[in-house]
Each structure stands twice: as C-alpha cells, then as structure tokens.
Amino acid sequence: MHSVRPVLIGIAGDSGAGKSSLVAQLAKLLGNDRVSVIELDGYHSLNRQERKAVNITALHPRANNLGLFIDHLYRLRRGEKVLRPVYNHDTGDFDDPVWVEPRPYVIVEGLHPFLFQVAADMYDLKIYYDTHEELKVRWKILRDATARGYTVEEVLAEIRKRQWDIRNFVEPQLAMADTVVKLFPLEDERPDAVGVEFKEPADNPWLKEKLEQISEISVQPKRDWIGGREFLSLSFSQAMPVSTAHVLLEHMGPRGGAILGKITHAPFVMPYQLALAILASRLEAIRQELDATFEGRGRSVVG
Amino acid sequence: MHSVRPVLIGIAGDSGAGKSSLVAQLAKLLGNDRVSVIELDGYHSLNRQERKAVNITALHPRANNLGLFIDHLYRLRRGEKVLRPVYNHDTGDFDDPVWVEPRPYVIVEGLHPFLFQVAADMYDLKIYYDTHEELKVRWKILRDATARGYTVEEVLAEIRKRQWDIRNFVEPQLAMADTVVKLFPLEDERPDAVGVEFKEPADNPWLKEKLEQISEISVQPKRDWIGGREFLSLSFSQAMPVSTAHVLLEHMGPRGGAILGKITHAPFVMPYQLALAILASRLEAIRQELDATFEGRGRSVVG
C-alpha cells in the first residue's frame, strides 16, 4: 500500500475508568476533524435483555462480535471506511450504525480493543487506561446513582459482580500495552485532584527515554511486573511549572509545545493535563513518522 | 518470519453440504499426520439452549466467537499452536477444548471461515463447498431422520428456517472463494452418482489454465457471475479413463499421479474422485511452493 493510512490507537480499560473523557480531550487536542472514534460497546453481540436471558455480562468476549470489530480495524488500517454498530446505554439496545472514515487518527476505546493478538498487532499505540479502584467507585456512584437512577448499594453490588470478568477478559490487556496510564487519588485539598502514573515495557520505555534527555526533570522509575513482563513506572503527583512542561513536551513530538498551549495558560500544569499533553504529542509524533515513511515510499516508487 | 508456516485452507459451506467427509478424505490423501483440522462450529458463542433463549440460529455471526477464531487463524499462520473450543452436536453444548498444532496443512471447515476480509486474506486457498439443494435435502434427511431421530417434515422445516441466514451469512463467501466446488445430481443408474462443477474467478482460473495445457482434455468453460465477480465454470459429469486422469493430475502438482493412485485402482475415475485428487494435488503444489519460498529466504539470509 502506498496511500497514507490512519494512526490506529487502542485504549483499553474497565467501564468507568474515564476512557470516553480521555478520548474526547485527545480528539480536541489532535483536531476533532482529524480523529475518528470507535466505541467498542457498539460491537456487543447481545443486547441487555439477551445478556440477561443467557446470564452473561457485556465484559465476556462471547457477548461481543469481536470478529466484526477485528475486520473493521483491518479495513480502517487499509484506508477503507466501515459501517460500525452503535450501542445505546440508555435503551440497552442498538441504534442505527454509523460510517467511520479512516481519518488521520482512529481511536478505539472499550473493553477488548487488544485482547486478541491479531488485533493487538494492528495498532500503532496500545494504551491501557487504568484508574485506581477508589476513583472508579467514586465516579461510578456519581454517574450511575445520579444520572442513571441506581442506589449506591446497587452500584457497589454491580462493581463486585463484574470483578471476575474484568480479571479474565479486560486486565490481560495490561501485558499487551505499550503504555499503561493509571490515575490515582491524591491527598490534596481539592477532592478531584488526581496523580498519573505511566508504566512502560522495560524493553521499550518511550517516555522514560524522553525524560532522560531533559536535565530539568529527574526521573526515578520504579520497576513493576505485569503478566510476566517488566515495566518501568513513572509517576506525576505534583503540579509542574509550565516552563518545565514546555521543555518536556518539545522533546515529545513535533507539536508538543503547541499542544501544551491548548491545554493551559496557567503557570502550572496538573498531572492529568500533563498526561493528556504527553499522549497527544506522542500521537502527533507517530503521525509524522508514518507520513515520512509513506513519502519515502512514494519517492522510491516514482524515481 | 523465516520458519516454515502451515498451508491454510478454508472450506466454507452450509451444514449438510458434505464438508466433513471432504476434509476427512483430503486429510487421508495428504497424510493424516500432516493435517490439522479446525471445525468452526467449536467457536459458537452460545450453546443450543442459549441460542433458543435469544432466538438466533448458529448461522448468525453474532452466535459465534469469530474474534477468537480469527486470532487462532493468525497464530497458526505464525506457527503457534492454539487451544480450540469444541462443540458437541449431540449435547448441543461444549466439550473440553483441544490443542491444534500448526502442521503442514491446517484445514478450517465451517459456516464462516472467510466471511470477514481479515480472515479471508490469511488463507492460501479458499474453497466454497456448494452442494445442489436436491442432494443436500437427500443427505440431510438420511442423516437427521435416521441417526438423529427427527421426522422428514421436521428436517424440511429446519432447512426452510435457515434459508435467510444462509443467504446473508454463508453465501456471501462465494464471492471471496478461490474455487467453488459444487456437487450436483446425475441422471445415472446409481442414485449416489454425483457430478462436480468447479467455478474459478475469471482473473485467476487455476484449473482452467492447467486443463488447457493438456491435449487429451477439451474444456469449454461457461461464464458465471457471483457477487459482482466473473467466474468460469468447468464441469465433470462422466467417468474419466484413469490414463487421462493421470496426465491431468501430473500437471496439477508434484504428487498428482501418486494421489490418483491412492484414490482408485479402477480403469475409470468418477467425478467426485477426480475432484478430490485435483484439490489434494493443488494443496501439495501450494505446500511445495511455500517450502521453496522459505528455503529461498533462508539462503538469502545466510549468503
């Protein structure tokens, strides 16, 4: 293939981890018209009523038409558009499908974006979006007990019920990720303050290597083991002066500084804002690299 | 990859078309210890009771865990072994899974082996095994009304019920096939006599080109259109002298003559026997070509 293909990004994580907010913010930073989003929940193979009838949760792969999803991922990578199914969380059933164009960035977010190796190998970046249990419970109660009309007890019971499936069908993706982004609660005066931990495979630590090039920042990565694979963990739990963040982001990718400028005009950057900027800059860098590859191929074909 | 990978063969077709018999006979000709077989029915995502509860047939892709299947196909192609699920048609539920080794030939047979493009692109040969309605009905009644205890009326009602799903989810694979093998009834003294029609894409007619090289055989291919694609149809409805068949099969592949010798010692070859020999010889030829490619790569890496 000599035409430009999308950068494919997979974001895996439990429901309630905050994936959709992350995706919306990333899309805004990259340019909404340059991003297509696939919500994997659309590929449920059974609606809510049918899942009840056979007593399985939506977390189980067999409650999902992942064959169709893998085919769509494959086609998007080849630059084709696909008609993706849409699941409606309010009705528990399906809405009309929608066309997804192969825009410069295609972000897939859901429970099983890279559970299977064949899918994992198609992405340019695989992010596992992990959120500390305490934050997840807090957010889920906030959403489901207010917007969706459940009691706090019901929400907690639901969380417990899903644990087995999460361990078996969502968390195995941790070991496949290029980067794990974990939000954790801070003991801060503000209750919504969160810290961010990046975990990267020790044999391919993108962020760690970038940080080492910057004298303003001293990194002390911790070691971690996930699914038999060594990871390095880098933690951000404090506000960072915007000047330091600027140096950092200029190292990250071609538009790092510009991206930071879109995020804040304050003199300090909070950990979550920094994480957003780092991810967006990394994606811009991948896009640029891909364009260069295709240009190079184009030239060698022509002359 | 520089290690040898399996030849992957997909055989699609409706249940009752005779796929399992074909696979068993092909495996015997190629050498049972050189062939691994995957029955796609093992990848049903719902057992019989669950399908009833949500009112879908096993023919619907959403009643199948095709994501897991595509992943297994991908892994086998890379030379890995996989643990494949097993469906039991008697109990309507699942037995213990079994390991499948990446032997020289991996044959996948079932309802949806190349329904999705991502799967279709992984095979070395895609066969759509089609059987004339009259033969299918005859065989299905024979099997289900005797061995499985249904009445003839029940069998016919079941056949009618499945038509919609077959049109939508099995037959689209006709247009993806490298070769369509269709059995049809003959007006012959023997009631089990069948003719065989090969249909091949007009832009890649393997059999037609082989036949044209042989002066003993005159071929008059008919044109056919399937799913917007032009096919050439070659029909065998008579017994062929074994000497002619021998010349034909020697053209087909490196072991064509030997394969014919395994099939018959009679002076004539019946159309179904000829079809078997043609398919087995073609697969041997693909295997040889693949071995040569890997040997070639091996040499270029070393020297």
Side-chain angles (χ1 to χ4, degrees), chain B residues 209-253:
Chain B
E209 282 171 10
K210 293 282 175 190
L211 290 175
E212 280 170 350
Q213 296 162 15
I214 306 163
S215 57
E216 282 89 340
I217 296 169
S218 117
V219 253
Q220 294 297 334
K222 286 185 299 178
R223 281 165 170 233
D224 200 354
W225 290 85
I226 305 174
R229 202 167 157 217
E230 191 183 358
F231 279 69
L232 298 174
S233 155
L234 301 149
S235 210
F236 299 94
S237 54
Q238 294 177 326
M240 183 184 278
V242 87
S243 57
T244 312
H246 196 85
V247 174
L248 172 61
L249 284 158
E250 286 286 311
H251 263 77
M252 294 292 159

Side-chain angles (χ1 to χ4, degrees), chain B residues 123-190:
Chain B
Y123 293 99
D124 296 285
L125 192 68
K126 298 182 291 298
I127 302 169
Y128 191 97
Y129 198 64
D130 203 8
T131 295
H132 193 286
E133 205 58 27
E134 197 182 311
L135 287 175
K136 272 203 299 204
V137 169
R138 212 186 283 167
W139 296 346
K140 204 172 167 64
I141 288 172
L142 206 67
R143 184 187 69 181
D144 292 358
T146 55
R148 297 186 183 174
Y150 293 90
T151 70
V152 171
E153 258 318 305
E154 280 170 339
V155 175
L156 291 175
E158 174 72 17
I159 289 175
R160 277 191 300 272
K161 209 179 96 183
R162 295 158 51 96
Q163 282 310 314
W164 191 89
D165 281 351
I166 291 169
R167 295 271 174 281
N168 279 280
F169 304 123
V170 181
E171 291 187 357
Q173 293 170 109
L174 270 166
M176 312 279 273
D178 300 307
T179 185
V180 176
V181 180
K182 178 160 191 166
L183 306 191
F184 57 90
L186 290 179
E187 295 175 20
D188 192 276
E189 58 271 27
R190 302 183 315 159

Side-chain angles (χ1 to χ4, degrees), chain A residues 45-46 50 54 62 66-68 70-71 74-75 78 116-118 121-122, chain B residues 45-46 50 54 62 66-68 70-71 74-75 78 116-118 121-122:
Chain A
S45 53
L46 303 170
E50 290 168 334
V54 300
R62 75 186 182 102
L66 293 176
L68 182 65
I70 293 168
D71 193 52
Y74 180 73
R75 289 172 180 275
R78 304 204 308 177
F116 292 128
Q117 188 71 47
V118 60
D121 288 353
M122 289 190 216
Chain B
S45 53
L46 302 171
E50 290 168 335
V54 300
R62 75 188 181 101
L66 293 176
L68 182 65
I70 293 168
D71 194 51
Y74 180 74
R75 289 172 180 276
R78 305 205 306 180
F116 293 128
Q117 188 72 47
V118 61
D121 287 353
M122 289 190 213

